[in-house]
Every structure is written in structure tokens, then in C-alpha cells.
Amino acid sequence: MTEHKGDGRTGTGIGGAGADQAVEAAEATRASAPPAPAGLGFTRLLLVATGSVSAAELPSWIAWLRATHPELEIQTVLTRSAQRFVTRESLNLLTGRRTMVDAWPEEPVLRAPHVDLTAWAEAVLVHPSTFSYTARLALGLADSPSLLTAQCTAAPVAVAPALPPGGVRSHAFHRHVESLAERPNCVVVPPVPALSLTTGRTDSWAAAPLPDVLDALGALHRRLTAEPTP
């Protein structure tokens, strides 16, 4: 895949002050971060964020990733709804790569984006994954570049759902999780209780903390790449 280096001028949303804050947050996280965990086994991560409010935490998580796994290349993809909570410019600065929007290009292209993403990514992480995105992935739909990549890749895929109140009790959601669990290269990390900004109660469900999801993704990668026993 052709690499596009972020120069801080691409993307939409925040202005110069917001960009400075993103860089300062990354530097502060690097300074205070604990020693880097054991190697993940992969160095190219495709990180997809969908339209949950917890996508607003993505810059902090990426700063943590850069501090603890400096060898990791991170290609971020935002769905259109995710852009309500996080800007591409902040992610460009933190990853050093141009953040992609999860939509088919309106103009003619020379290369298919999903083919390049599939060839590039050694691991795929969807964090957060909305109810809708989780369902579309489980049903085998491929109506966006990231979904088609996740459907076609042989690399490990970790999904971290974020759900509204009542979501974890949904029969449909449980069926989707069971369907994804049947895939040998996929792991679903359960969400954690969270405060609903609508009800004011702890009856919502946020995506599991990124370190936990990354641990599950690393373990899956090790299983998939383990040498077969004689």
C-alpha cells in the first residue's frame, strides 16, 4: 500500500490549538508510560474506529500505543459517524500516516483501497465497534473498505463492541458475537459497563480498554502463527 505521511495539514476538524494539544498529550503519555510490554508479533496494525462516543478517547489510546510499542505502524480508518467524535488531523499527527475515511472514493482511483489495506495489515483492530458495525461484520457485509478488508484478510481481527443500554442483552448481538467467534482469525472482547450520557446511569457499555483488546489480538496472532505440532 502506498504510504501517505501525515503532515498536519490534512483531515478536517481541529485547528492549530487542537493539533498542539494532541502532540502535547502524546509527549506526556510517552514520558509517563511504563516499560513497553512484550512484542506483539506484528508491526502493522489497521485500527478502525466507528461512531461510538468512546471514539473520542482514540488519540489518548494511540499516544499510549506509540509510547509502549514504538515499532508499531498504525493505519487508522474512521467511519463517517466516528468523525463526530475524533478528527483525522489529530490522528494524522499521532500516527504519522494519513487517516482514511471508511467510504468508497467518489473519484476514480488507480488502486482498490481494500486490496491495499488487506495486503498491508498484519492485524486488524476495531475499537470501538458499534452495534451496527459489529452486526454488519458478523453478517458478512462488505459495503465499506474496512469491512471488505476485515472479511477478506487472513490476519487476526479483534473487535471491541460499544453498546447502548440493553445492548448486551440483545439476542441479535449475542448471535452476532457467536458468528464472529466461529471465525478462526477473529476475537470479540466483551464491553465494560459505562455511564450513559443519555440516561445518567451506568447502563451503557463501552469498548474494553485498548490494552486488554491488544492483549487478545496478540494472543490470537500467536495462535495463528504458531508452528504446527509434529
Side-chain angles (χ1 to χ4, degrees), residues 195-216:
L195 177 69
S196 169
L197 300 180
T198 301
T199 68
R201 299 187 297 270
T202 307
D203 55 3
S204 188
W205 300 87
L210 189 64
D212 295 344
V213 184
L214 199 66
D215 285 345

Side-chain angles (χ1 to χ4, degrees), residues 143-204:
D143 52 1
S144 75
S146 74
L147 277 169
L148 187 51
T149 297
Q151 303 293 10
C152 295
T153 186
V157 178
V159 181
L163 306 172
V168 293
R169 296 190 299 274
S170 165
H171 177 71
F173 175 70
H174 283 280
R175 290 293 297 271
H176 295 323
V177 170
E178 291 171 359
S179 175
L180 291 172
E182 293 175 355
R183 302 185 184 186
N185 71 323
C186 187
V187 59
V188 180
V189 182
V192 297
L195 177 69
S196 169
L197 300 180
T198 301
T199 68
R201 299 187 297 270
T202 307
D203 55 3
S204 188

Side-chain angles (χ1 to χ4, degrees), residues 10-137:
T10 58
T12 59
I14 62 175
D20 291 342
Q21 291 173 358
V23 174
E24 290 173 1
E27 291 175 347
T29 302
R30 292 190 187 100
S32 61
L40 296 171
F42 55 85
T43 58
R44 296 197 300 270
L45 175 66
L46 176 62
L47 177 53
V48 181
T50 69
S52 163
V53 67
S54 54
E57 301 175 357
L58 195 57
S60 295
W61 283 130
I62 291 179
W64 175 84
L65 273 174
R66 296 298 302 272
T68 57
H69 297 80
E71 78 289 351
L72 193 63
E73 295 183 68
I74 306 167
Q75 174 63 61
T76 48
V77 176
L78 296 179
T79 64
R80 292 192 186 279
S81 57
Q83 294 181 88
R84 296 178 297 174
F85 306 110
V86 63
T87 67
R88 286 184 287 164
E89 184 174 2
S90 62
L91 302 186
N92 290 350
L93 293 170
L94 290 166
T95 63
R97 301 179 66 89
R98 183 170 297 169
T99 301
M100 298 176 59
V101 176
D102 194 26
W104 300 112
E106 296 181 359
E107 297 296 326
V109 296
L110 297 177
R111 301 179 62 84
H114 59 283
V115 176
D116 281 340
L117 287 175
T118 302
W120 181 86
E122 297 176 338
V124 179
L125 195 161
V126 187
H127 187 287
S129 179
T130 59
F131 195 121
S132 176
Y133 192 96
T134 304
R136 289 155 65 203
L137 181 61

